[in-house]
């Protein structure tokens, strides 16, 4: 799989550096006065100083999911470890870690949180990774 590139708005570069660099453990790449690159699980995430994005919500399996959002599909152990790391750092989940679509082909662990600029992130792990796109 080829890495994606995603640029998102942040309102405070120091807070973004702490959140993505320290809480998530993402190595920092290039930077300038108004932006910073991160190695986001092998993908290029760039945070740019800009006004925050508007968030709406959609119902998904009983949760009010923030839109837009982005994140990663991790293996189950990595998903649990990241949830524990975020908890240990004292960050609050918007939607706490839980299993969604239980007993269905798309069964997955999921959690949501916001970065300091209000960008919504989802991290998930598929019970059966081969079913990522199953109907």
């Amino acid at each position: 799989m080829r890495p994606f590139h995603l640029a998102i708005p942040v309102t405070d570069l120091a807070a973004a550096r702490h959140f993505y660099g320290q809480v998530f453990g993402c190595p920092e790449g290039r930077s300038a006065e108004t932006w910073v690159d991160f190695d986001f699980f092998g993908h290029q995430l760039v945070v740019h100083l800009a006004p925050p994005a508007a968030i709406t919500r959609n119902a998904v399996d009983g949760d009010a999911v923030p839109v837009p959002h982005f994140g990663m599909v991790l293996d189950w152990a990595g998903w649990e470890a990241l949830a524990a790391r975020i908890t240990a750092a004292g960050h609050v989940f918007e939607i706490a870690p839980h299993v969604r679509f239980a007993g269905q082909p798309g069964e997955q662990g999921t959690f949501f949180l916001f970065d300091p600029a209000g960008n919504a992130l989802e991290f998930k792990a598929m019970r059966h990774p081969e079913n990522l796109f199953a109907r």
Side-chain angles (χ1 to χ4, degrees):
M1 183 178 294
R2 300 189 54 92
F4 68 75
H5 164 83
L6 177 65
I8 61 170
V10 299
T11 54
D12 182 329
L13 284 181
R17 279 187 158 114
H18 175 77
F19 185 77
Y20 290 102
Q22 301 302 309
V23 175
F24 279 82
C26 297
E28 188 173 315
R30 295 177 303 277
S31 66
E33 268 188 44
T34 59
W35 58 270
V36 180
D37 274 353
F38 290 98
D39 178 344
F40 186 76
F41 303 89
H43 301 278
Q44 185 186 39
L45 174 65
V46 186
V47 298
H48 288 268
L49 281 175
I55 297 286
T56 59
R57 304 227 177 229
N58 280 339
V60 178
D61 198 35
D63 291 324
V65 170
V67 178
H69 66 263
F70 73 97
M72 295 298 301
V73 179
L74 305 171
D75 63 43
W76 207 273
W79 177 77
E80 288 176 327
L82 184 59
R85 181 181 181 127
I86 292 166
T87 300
H91 283 274
V92 176
F93 292 98
E94 177 67 14
I95 299 174
H98 69 286
V99 173
R100 173 187 290 159
F101 306 126
Q104 299 176 41
E107 183 173 344
Q108 60 194 258
T110 184
F111 63 80
F112 284 79
L113 70 159
F114 288 100
D115 76 3
N119 295 295
L121 296 96
E122 177 186 19
F123 292 85
K124 63 173 72 177
M126 301 302 295
R127 182 74 69 193
H128 301 284
E130 69 276 9
N131 287 342
L132 181 61
F133 298 107
R135 293 176 182 234

